[in-house]
Amino acid sequence: MPIRTRVAALAALTAAALAVGAAATAQAGAAPGGAAQKNASAQKNASAPKKAAAPRFLAASELPPHPTGWTAGPVTDGFPEQLAYCLGEGVPAYDYRHRLFHTELDTSAVQVTVVTGSAAKGKALADRLNKEIRTCAARLERLYPEIEAEGRFFGTLPVEEGATVHGLHTETSYGATDVSLLSVGRDGRTVTVVGWGQMGDFDDAPLAAFKKTAKKAVTKLY
């Protein structure tokens, strides 16, 4: 195939370039001043800034307990459509990454994380996300007349720069009910959102366990 041919050619050119470079390096090291060049190169490499570690995500075992257990998907680029019902139109353009979780029944979860340019931008994003979640119930009722929605605020968590916990209950005109828990947490310039949902109402939501998960999501970032 053409792609394979192109890749093979690039590999050959890369190998040849590395061989020439190695030979040139050996000659430079043998020539006067070669040791000085090596020392300068080593000092440069030592002083070069290290790439920041990527934020870590929750594991399946760190979610609220479920009778069937949780299965975690891979970490994927992009903003998850599972949170679009509340946050889709209100999310600024950033390079988001997310992980989906599911059980064998109707319960699911999602975590999305983003590294902004500064702590100030991280705070602004977290404030924006909290506002979108607080107004989610009213927007759903306005957009979908067949839905009745109720939002609740469940307080803050003392972790890093803080986390907030929200709840949302929806009921359709044909009787379907769903409950969701959402958290927004921040560590410096990094923001993470955790969402949990299943059929039922607020009495069916594991609030205490979810708060532990929300706190863990922030402490585990770095």
Side-chain angles (χ1 to χ4, degrees):
M1 294 176 62
I3 294 178
R4 290 183 179 178
T5 302
R6 192 183 315 132
V7 171
L10 288 173
L13 289 173
T14 301
L18 289 174
V20 172
T25 300
Q27 293 176 359
Q37 291 179 0
K38 287 183 179 180
N39 291 336
S41 177
Q43 291 176 0
K44 182 179 180 180
N45 291 335
S47 61
K50 295 182 179 179
K51 186 177 179 181
R56 294 181 297 166
F57 280 73
L58 291 167
S61 61
E62 293 165 331
L63 293 173
H66 191 275
T68 69
W70 290 92
T71 298
V75 175
T76 306
D77 291 338
F79 192 84
E81 62 180 12
Q82 287 77 6
L83 293 177
Y85 68 98
C86 263
L87 301 175
E89 296 183 0
V91 175
Y94 280 111
D95 293 328
Y96 298 92
R97 303 175 75 219
H98 69 275
R99 166 175 275 179
L100 302 180
F101 305 85
H102 70 272
T103 66
E104 295 180 10
L105 298 177
D106 65 324
T107 309
S108 61
V110 59
Q111 181 184 12
V112 59
T113 296
V114 58
V115 181
T116 67
S118 66
K121 290 182 178 180
K123 182 180 184 304
L125 176 59
D127 291 344
R128 174 73 175 272
L129 295 175
N130 277 306
K131 180 180 178 180
E132 293 294 324
I133 294 174
R134 287 196 304 268
T135 59
C136 183
R139 283 184 284 114
L140 287 177
E141 289 189 336
R142 184 173 65 250
L143 293 172
Y144 306 101
E146 73 278 10
I147 289 180
E148 291 185 3
E150 178 190 358
R152 294 185 183 180
F153 178 63
F154 292 118
T156 61
L157 301 175
V159 54
E160 299 300 340
E161 276 66 59
T164 55
V165 180
H166 308 261
L168 177 70
H169 176 254
T170 60
E171 183 173 358
T172 66
S173 57
Y174 50 87
T177 63
D178 293 278
V179 62
S180 300
L181 297 174
L182 300 111
S183 69
V184 180
R186 183 170 71 91
D187 183 355
R189 62 176 182 154
T190 302
V191 178
T192 188
V193 179
V194 180
W196 171 99
Q198 70 174 30
M199 294 176 61
D201 55 31
F202 285 120
D203 291 336
D204 301 309
L207 181 58
F210 181 79
K211 286 184 175 182
K212 292 181 180 180
T213 294
K215 189 172 183 179
K216 182 68 176 180
V218 179
T219 59
K220 191 177 181 180
L221 287 172
Y222 298 106

